Amino acid sequence: MSGYQVGLNSFGEKDASYTHQREGYLDHITWYKGRPALQFFGFEHPINCDALIGEDVRITIHEDEVCPSCGADVDLDRGLCSNCAGTPPMTPCIWNPGTECSWRNCPYPEYKRDACAHNFVVYLVAKDKVKVGITRADRRHTRWAEQGATHAIIIGECHNRKVAGLIETQLAEEYPSKADNSWYVPTEQPVEQLVQTAREAATYFPERLKDCYALEGLSTDKVRERIVSVSHRASDVNNEVVSTHSELATGDRQEGRVVGIRGSVIATESFTFNVKRHAGAKITFETTSGLSIPDTDSTHD
């Protein structure tokens, strides 16, 4: 393995036995039924992230890349392959439906039918601050976990992506709709902050979409009961310390003991690995855990 630089913290005093390895192109971390799994393009079985907690890992990020959306050879000028560039979900109408979606004259009718013409929710999540977002109603718990939120609540129920986007655009004037994916220090009293924000958010709904507000007439206690605790693996992590760790960059190889997983970030005692930031990159992932990487795996050409 050549052609990469070694990070300053690549070698510690510990001589771990990295008996399990996977090398391939990185996809993303999924949170299926509250369980985190590190996905690679072309591999049938993901890395079991739960089995990494307390184990040593060594991660190398190579400079080779593929399309982060589908795993095909990438056009580096655009960052995506020709099939994915300019088509949903890699289009402004998906990223900003409130301002970019032309619902009635949609140029992607099949995608609209399959992915947009469904029930959507407008939600608030607690991270380092309260954030607003939208997602399909049937994948809300997965979305919150992927974002690395600690708590969440639904404040709006809509019958398609466009309507949800209009509400999100309006609320984004008061609350952030974009969030950093790095490791963060959770906001204090997240439940109480969500309760307060959820109650006041009703006043910022577009007038013609007030009926979409999902908490109308509920008492403060009932609103509090609707707040969901989101799956993560960071309960015992010293967030103040971990949030100051350097993030692995392209060309780095570093090793450390895994202390937590939240959203798309794997945290070790010495560095953090932001999976979302390196989607499509070639990764060598080594670990001491015999349960994290399947002994046998199949790949697809």
Side-chain angles (χ1 to χ4, degrees):
M1 298 184 300
S2 61
Y4 58 85
Q5 298 176 349
V6 177
L8 294 176
N9 296 322
S10 295
F11 305 104
E13 298 178 359
K14 218 167 13 190
D15 183 20
S17 177
Y18 297 105
T19 54
H20 291 75
Q21 173 182 306
R22 172 168 293 176
E23 185 167 280
Y25 292 97
L26 194 62
D27 190 352
H28 64 294
I29 289 183
T30 58
W31 283 85
Y32 180 66
K33 294 185 177 180
R35 297 174 180 268
L38 183 59
Q39 306 282 347
F40 283 73
F41 289 111
F43 284 85
E44 181 179 358
H45 301 293
I47 291 177
N48 174 12
C49 292
D50 277 335
L52 296 175
I53 303 294
E55 298 286 341
D56 292 303
V57 296
R58 182 163 60 198
I59 304 173
T60 306
I61 305 180
H62 305 271
E63 294 186 2
D64 296 342
E65 295 181 344
V66 296
C67 176
S69 178
C70 71
D73 289 342
V74 68
D75 180 347
L76 293 179
D77 291 335
R78 292 184 294 180
L80 296 167
C81 71
S82 56
N83 288 332
C84 292
T87 59
M90 301 298 175
T91 50
C93 62
I94 302 300
W95 302 330
N96 301 296
T99 57
E100 302 293 337
C101 172
S102 55
W103 182 260
R104 292 182 180 176
N105 300 311
C106 176
Y108 314 106
E110 291 185 4
Y111 190 89
K112 172 183 176 181
R113 180 197 64 208
D114 295 339
C116 301
H118 296 270
N119 291 331
F120 274 71
V121 294
V122 183
Y123 60 80
L124 299 173
V125 291
K127 296 183 64 173
D128 57 330
K129 58 178 67 71
V130 173
K131 171 188 173 295
V132 63
I134 66 173
T135 191
R136 277 181 56 158
D138 58 358
R139 72 177 311 271
R140 57 191 183 277
H141 294 288
T142 298
R143 176 61 176 158
W144 299 335
E146 289 173 348
Q147 286 187 305
T150 63
H151 299 79
I153 185 172
I154 293 171
I155 60 171
E157 297 173 340
C158 311
H159 57 272
N160 61 51
R161 186 193 300 272
K162 173 66 173 181
V163 174
L166 290 170
I167 296 172
E168 180 190 34
T169 297
Q170 190 74 28
L171 293 179
E173 295 183 5
E174 306 296 330
Y175 315 109
S177 59
K178 307 296 181 184
D180 188 4
N181 292 308
S182 301
W183 200 269
Y184 65 89
V185 178
T187 186
E188 295 183 1
Q189 297 183 316
V191 172
E192 294 308 315
Q193 285 201 41
L194 285 176
V195 169
Q196 178 180 344
T197 306
R199 297 304 295 268
E200 68 182 23
T203 62
Y204 302 119
F205 270 54
E207 189 62 36
R208 63 192 179 93
L209 298 176
K210 291 286 189 182
D211 289 346
C212 293
Y213 182 63
L215 305 176
E216 186 65 39
L218 296 184
S219 67
T220 298
D221 287 341
K222 290 295 183 181
V223 172
R224 187 178 290 108
E225 289 175 4
R226 295 199 177 193
I227 294 175
V228 176
S229 179
V230 182
S231 298
H232 58 79
R233 302 293 183 272
S235 299
D236 300 322
V237 176
N238 187 328
N239 291 293
E240 286 78 7
V241 172
V242 174
S243 64
T244 65
H245 289 343
S246 61
E247 281 192 1
L248 222 57
T250 301
D252 283 350
R253 181 179 71 177
Q254 295 197 34
E255 60 184 61
R257 180 159 295 176
V258 176
V259 296
I261 301 164
R262 189 166 59 202
S264 65
V265 183
I266 298 174
T268 76
E269 59 190 2
S270 55
F271 68 91
T272 59
F273 176 39
N274 191 325
V275 175
K276 185 174 183 178
R277 193 158 291 168
H278 295 285
K282 185 177 181 180
I283 302 293
T284 302
F285 197 101
E286 302 167 273
T287 177
T288 56
S289 171
L291 298 176
S292 61
I293 300 177
D295 290 331
T296 58
D297 211 334
S298 61
T299 59
H300 307 282
D301 296 330

